[in-house]
């Protein structure tokens, strides 16, 4: 019997992966946590207090002078590589629950225009370019283009102005694009724009071209319709469905409720960090002896996108307080609190995109007698596999992931 609670601090990286500069050379210096701690000390003259995260081993994972290196709780602490291309919340969460995203590509639409246009024409649609720019105008009304709000090449959008077409038609075209797209997500978007959509086409980062969705008025004019079409998944081999199929109650909270949508789960979306932890506490208090809860703290990621280090620090402190409230409710042998991330989002890197960083893996184990070091995980899928084992499920039933091994008796613990 075990209750496994996974808390995802969205956009919480602990240092650049070796290939972080593959698309943006400056990202080789990405370090969300380190830069956040440095910025806070420079701005305030004081270290950023994160007592719960330090007790869970954060300073061991990231040996920064602003963090204690001695965990005070019985934890196993380490870090994980992402295990999927790029740095994306959707791919990160799917990987974390055992889906195999290792073969998903980061690709600009420009490199696949002919293939996408051929698929659309085969389904009875007309396609044109827009003055030679690398995007498609379908049936004279709907744009197929790079997503300019996510990391370049991670997602493509299919956008339609609802004054001109129905969202049903936008979605129909998006499904055709999805059938040939190598990227993690094709996002169908319909909204009320201030002018024809071609008016708002602009160049993005790294040679992308697409619709400036915020400028179009979609977000402020009401009636926005969005549907995310992810790469095909075997949902039966994801952790939420695996747990639910074994009779384990599953609760998805915050952004996890949207990203990991599972028919068998209780799903409660929320953005406010305090609300996310209040929902997590309520779910934990009402949980039976065996349960899976996955919560996402989204406001860390939002602060990174806004390049707002003070806000990021404030949200991280709120999360630290929220984690401290969870720990007393996870005191039975076998219970697990797993704190991790899905990618980085360095708030001082100088751009508004995700950063490809390692993420922490901090696992509270009430039955342990000391803190221990975990080996580096090659993929976030190992987090899901570890939670599966804690719940008494077979990790091999997941599409991907290997349970993280606890240190053997007599091995060295976390140094002081």
């Amino acid at each position: 019997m075990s209750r496994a609670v996974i808390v995802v601090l969205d956009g919480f990286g602990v240092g650049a992966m070796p290939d972080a500069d593959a698309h943006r050379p400056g990202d080789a210096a990405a370090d969300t946590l380190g830069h956040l701690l440095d910025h806070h000390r420079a701005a305030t003259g004081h270290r950023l207090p994160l007592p719960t995260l330090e007790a869970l081993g954060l300073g061991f994972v990231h040996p920064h002078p602003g963090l204690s290196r001695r965990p005070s709780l019985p934890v196993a602490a380490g870090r994980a590589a992402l295990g999927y291309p790029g740095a994306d919340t959707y791919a990160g969460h799917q990987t974390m629950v055992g889906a195999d995203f290792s073969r998903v590509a980061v690709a600009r639409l420009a490199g696949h225009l002919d293939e996408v246009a051929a698929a659309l024409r085969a389904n009875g649609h007309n396609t044109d370019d827009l003055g030679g720019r690398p995007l498609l105008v379908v049936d004279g009304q709907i744009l197929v283009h790079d997503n300019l709000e996510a990391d370049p090449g991670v997602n493509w959008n299919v956008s339609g102005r609802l004054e001109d077409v129905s969202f049903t038609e936008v979605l129909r075209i998006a499904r055709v694009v999805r059938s040939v797209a190598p990227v993690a997500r094709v996002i169908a978007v319909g909204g009320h724009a201030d002018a024809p959509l071609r008016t708002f086409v602009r160049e993005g980062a790294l040679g992308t071209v697409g619709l400036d969705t915020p400028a179009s008025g979609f977000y402020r004019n009401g009636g926005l319709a969005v549907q995310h079409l992810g790469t095909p998944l075997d949902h039966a081999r994801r952790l939420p469905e695996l747990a639910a199929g074994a009779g384990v109650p599953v609760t998805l909270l915050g952004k996890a409720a949207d990203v990991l949508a599972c028919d068998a789960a209780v799903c409660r979306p929320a953005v406010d960090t305090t609300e996310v932890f209040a929902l997590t506490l309520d779910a934990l208090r009402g949980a039976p002896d065996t349960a899976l809860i996955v919560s996402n703290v989204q406001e860390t990621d939002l602060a990174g996108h806004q390049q707002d280090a003070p806000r990021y620090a404030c949200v991280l402190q709120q999360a630290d307080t929220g984690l401290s409230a969870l720990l007393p409710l996870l005191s039975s042998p076998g219970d697990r609190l797993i704190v991790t991330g899905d990618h980085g989002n360095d708030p001082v890197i100088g751009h508004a995109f995700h950063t490809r960083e390692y993420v922490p893996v901090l696992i509270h184990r009430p039955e342990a007698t000391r803190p221990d070091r975990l080996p580096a995980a090659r993929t976030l899928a190992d987090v899901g596999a570890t939670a599966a084992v804690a719940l008494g499920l077979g990790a091999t039933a997941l599409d991907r992931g290997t349970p993280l091994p606890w240190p053997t008796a007599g091995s060295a613990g976390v140094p002081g």
Side-chain angles (χ1 to χ4, degrees):
M1 294 187 295
S2 172
R3 292 171 297 170
V5 179
I6 302 174
V7 176
V8 183
L9 301 177
D10 205 307
F12 190 49
V14 291
M17 290 179 56
D19 59 352
D21 61 349
H23 297 290
R24 281 186 298 271
D27 281 11
D31 184 356
T32 297
L33 175 59
H35 290 159
L36 185 68
L37 296 172
D38 292 341
H39 185 278
H40 185 82
R41 182 174 284 279
T44 68
H46 304 288
R47 66 188 293 272
L48 179 65
L50 299 169
T52 308
L53 285 165
E54 290 181 76
L56 290 167
L58 184 61
F60 173 66
V61 174
H62 192 298
H64 188 279
L67 296 171
S68 169
R69 291 194 63 193
R70 181 69 184 178
S72 58
L73 292 171
V75 298
R79 69 178 187 176
L82 300 184
Y84 65 89
D88 177 60
T89 294
Y90 178 78
H93 279 70
Q94 302 300 337
T95 300
M96 190 182 302
V97 297
D100 188 355
F101 265 62
S102 62
R103 293 182 294 274
V104 170
V106 175
R108 290 174 293 173
L109 180 62
H112 298 268
L113 277 178
D114 291 344
E115 182 182 4
V116 174
L120 288 165
R121 288 194 296 270
N123 280 270
H125 299 285
N126 297 316
T127 62
D128 298 292
D129 63 14
L130 188 62
R133 297 170 121 176
L135 76 166
L136 295 173
V137 181
V138 183
D139 298 336
Q141 304 287 357
I142 295 172
L143 298 183
V144 180
H145 59 91
D146 291 310
N147 181 310
L148 301 186
E149 295 171 82
D151 209 43
V154 170
N155 304 321
W156 297 347
N157 279 22
V158 177
S159 301
R161 186 173 181 247
L162 297 182
E163 287 84 354
D164 304 321
V165 296
S166 69
F167 185 66
T168 298
E169 183 60 16
V170 175
L171 186 57
R172 187 161 76 93
I173 291 171
R175 292 191 190 282
V176 176
V177 176
R178 171 71 277 174
S179 70
V180 295
V183 295
R185 273 184 292 176
V186 172
I187 307 174
V189 185
H192 296 286
D194 298 332
L197 293 187
R198 61 188 65 203
T199 308
F200 304 104
V201 170
R202 67 171 179 82
E203 295 182 2
L206 304 178
T208 55
V209 176
L211 177 70
D212 186 341
T213 305
S216 73
F218 272 15
Y219 295 154
R220 65 175 179 271
N221 291 337
L224 182 68
V226 179
Q227 188 162 333
H228 297 259
L229 305 179
T231 191
L233 299 174
D234 184 350
H235 285 262
R237 302 195 69 185
R238 299 192 318 167
L239 181 60
E241 286 84 357
L242 181 65
V248 176
V250 178
T251 305
L252 305 175
L253 303 171
K255 193 175 180 179
D258 297 319
V259 178
L260 297 177
C262 169
D263 291 340
V266 174
C267 295
R268 295 182 178 174
V271 175
D272 179 80
T273 300
T274 302
E275 182 181 359
V276 169
F277 277 103
L279 290 171
T280 307
L281 272 173
D282 286 346
L284 189 52
R285 288 182 179 127
D289 291 337
T290 303
L292 171 65
I293 300 170
V294 184
S295 298
N296 175 284
V297 177
Q298 183 180 1
E299 287 188 303
T300 42
D301 188 53
L302 296 177
H305 284 306
Q306 294 163 352
Q307 292 289 276
D308 190 339
R311 183 189 176 197
Y312 199 125
C314 181
V315 174
L316 197 57
Q317 287 182 290
Q318 291 175 344
D320 193 87
T321 299
L323 289 168
S324 69
L326 299 180
L327 285 168
L329 301 180
L330 292 164
S331 57
S332 299
D335 283 348
R336 296 287 181 264
L337 171 63
I338 303 175
V339 182
T340 188
D342 53 351
H343 49 72
N345 200 337
D346 191 325
V348 300
I349 197 69
H351 60 72
F353 298 112
H354 295 157
T355 43
R356 186 165 168 80
E357 299 180 50
Y358 293 100
V359 295
V361 180
L362 314 176
I363 306 177
H364 180 244
R365 307 167 297 157
E367 73 279 7
T369 59
R370 68 177 190 183
D372 282 300
R373 179 174 188 166
L374 284 171
R378 292 179 297 174
T379 168
L380 273 170
D382 293 352
V383 172
T386 302
V389 169
L391 293 166
L393 307 171
T396 56
L398 298 173
D399 207 24
R400 194 175 187 220
T402 302
L404 292 166
W406 305 129
T408 58
S411 63
V414 175

